[in-house]
Amino acid sequence: MDNAGLLYRAGDADTWRTLTLTSGAMLIGGQIALFLSGIVTLQVILYHQLYPSDNVRLKALVLAIWALDIIHSAMICVINWEGLVVNYGNFDYFGTCSWSMAMVIGIAAWTTILVQSFFTYRIHTLSDGNWYITGMLGVLSLLRLVAAMVSCAELFRFGRFDAYFAHFKSLFLLGLSVSTLVDILVTAILCYYLRKRRSGLVWTDRLVDSLTLYTVETGFITCISTSTSMICWIAMPTTLLFLATFVSINKLYANSLLASLNARRMLSNRSQNRSGQSLSMSVLSPYSYGQQEGDLDPWTHRRRPISPQKRGMYSHAGRKASSANGHFS
């Protein structure tokens, strides 16, 4: 293509619109996603500083989320490099699904199921091992993973979004819809069981209210992001607006898990300072199934309460000691 033809096409309004809704949208979406990825890395560092004695499974989960996030960010950079540098001026590239775009979808699916499994296990703990609820959530999460991986494979095979859209439009929608449904269910169920933990103590109830609000906020953010990507996919499948919003979903899921872990100390200290008691470990961490309601977090300290019988015994002993001191003075 000569320079004259390139300038003519670049001056065309439709061409500029296409460029804006494809490479331009992906550039802005990628920058937002990389910013969120920086927050993920910061939270991982903070986690390892605050909780060096955490469960090995929990540490492995954090490292897995971090590794997936790094690979995901690398794929975003590859997408923008291919679209803005390698294929600069190649308007036939618009609508092409590169291997890096398919990889972004696949990696996001694995991050999603890991995070949703974490919160599902938390529900399993709070519900005292209710397998009906956690089993349903587990099946839905697996369905979302399967739909995403099949979509990833078919995008590899077709190589173009318009061809994939013509054959598997509903499959991609199924994955996003199920992911949104799981987020809503997890948020609602967590809120239900957290509300059941209200004890009537003012500061404890306020802490439960804070946990409930935090759960709603994190679930709401991921739901909005997934729904936005789904709407863009339905309304404008030939653009990359859906992918520009989709790339942030992986980061939001990772941040929601890490923020939930890193908030434990703050919430535990708030409960300890305000009420003199600590919430059950199962409220703050999922890896405590089987602990009793009065069990403390490993980073908190509380004096053992003195029973009325022992308090009376100590008081009697004190009076005897006082009288003895008076006798020998």
Side-chain angles (χ1 to χ4, degrees):
M1 181 182 300
D2 57 9
N3 291 335
L6 178 59
L7 290 174
Y8 173 76
R9 297 196 65 179
D12 185 77
D14 292 338
T15 301
W16 276 111
R17 181 179 180 275
T18 302
L19 181 63
T20 302
L21 296 178
T22 53
S23 296
M26 193 60 215
L27 176 63
I28 297 175
Q31 289 176 336
I32 296 173
L34 292 177
F35 172 77
L36 294 174
S37 181
I39 299 178
V40 171
T41 299
L42 179 63
Q43 291 211 73
V44 170
I45 296 173
L46 182 64
Y47 167 79
H48 285 287
Q49 290 178 343
L50 291 177
Y51 310 107
S53 60
D54 255 2
N55 190 290
V56 175
R57 292 177 297 168
L58 206 53
K59 290 182 177 180
L61 176 63
V62 171
L63 290 177
I65 293 293
W66 191 27
L68 288 172
D69 180 75
I70 293 174
I71 299 173
H72 187 266
S73 298
M75 292 300 102
I76 293 174
C77 294
V78 172
I79 291 172
N80 284 324
W81 176 264
E82 291 178 341
L84 298 173
V85 179
V86 176
N87 291 281
Y88 175 76
N90 180 14
F91 293 93
D92 294 331
Y93 180 75
F94 298 146
T96 300
C97 178
S98 62
W99 64 273
S100 52
M101 294 179 183
M103 284 288 293
V104 161
I105 296 175
I107 294 171
W110 283 104
T111 301
T112 300
I113 193 172
L114 287 177
V115 175
Q116 289 179 344
S117 298
F118 168 82
F119 287 109
T120 299
Y121 192 84
R122 172 170 287 183
I123 290 174
H124 183 77
T125 303
L126 291 174
S127 63
D128 297 326
N130 191 324
W131 284 103
Y132 294 103
I133 296 176
T134 53
M136 174 194 63
L137 294 175
V139 170
L140 290 175
S141 298
L142 285 175
L143 178 61
R144 188 264 185 273
L145 176 64
V146 171
M149 296 311 296
V150 173
S151 296
C152 182
E154 293 301 325
L155 284 170
F156 268 120
R157 185 168 69 91
F158 284 107
R160 293 192 62 86
F161 285 110
D162 51 0
Y164 172 83
F165 185 83
H167 295 84
F168 293 97
K169 172 185 176 181
S170 58
L171 182 62
F172 191 77
L173 289 177
L174 174 65
L176 293 178
S177 301
V178 172
S179 180
T180 304
L181 176 62
V182 172
D183 289 341
I184 294 173
L185 290 175
V186 166
T187 302
I189 296 171
L190 277 175
C191 290
Y192 170 75
Y193 281 109
L194 284 173
R195 302 299 288 181
K196 289 184 66 176
R197 297 280 173 152
R198 293 174 65 90
S199 62
L201 298 176
V202 175
W203 290 111
T204 303
D205 288 350
R206 288 185 180 180
L207 181 57
V208 170
D209 292 340
S210 299
L211 282 168
T212 304
L213 179 61
Y214 177 80
T215 301
V216 172
E217 289 175 346
T218 54
F220 181 75
I221 291 174
T222 53
C223 284
I224 290 297
S225 181
T226 307
S227 300
T228 303
S229 180
M230 185 166 52
I231 293 172
C232 292
W233 172 253
I234 296 173
M236 293 170 285
T238 58
T239 69
L240 292 183
L241 280 177
F242 81 93
L243 191 62
T245 56
F246 183 85
V247 292
S248 296
I249 296 176
N250 183 86
K251 316 300 184 183
L252 292 174
Y253 273 112
N255 274 303
S256 67
L257 183 145
L258 292 169
S260 176
L261 292 176
N262 289 335
R264 289 175 296 167
R265 172 168 292 185
M266 178 192 68
L267 293 171
S268 179
N269 289 340
R270 182 184 301 176
S271 173
Q272 180 74 14
N273 294 335
R274 297 296 187 181
S275 66
Q277 296 179 341
S278 176
L279 282 181
S280 171
M281 181 68 172
S282 62
V283 177
L284 302 177
S285 176
Y287 293 101
S288 57
Y289 180 63
Q291 292 189 5
Q292 298 298 319
E293 183 67 25
D295 290 350
L296 288 175
D297 303 329
W299 55 84
T300 60
H301 173 73
R302 182 179 66 181
R303 293 180 179 178
R304 185 182 298 275
I306 302 176
S307 63
Q309 293 81 2
K310 288 186 177 181
R311 187 179 294 110
M313 181 180 65
Y314 294 155
S315 177
H316 179 68
R319 287 194 298 270
K320 291 181 62 178
S322 298
S323 60
N325 288 335
H327 177 73
F328 289 109
S329 57

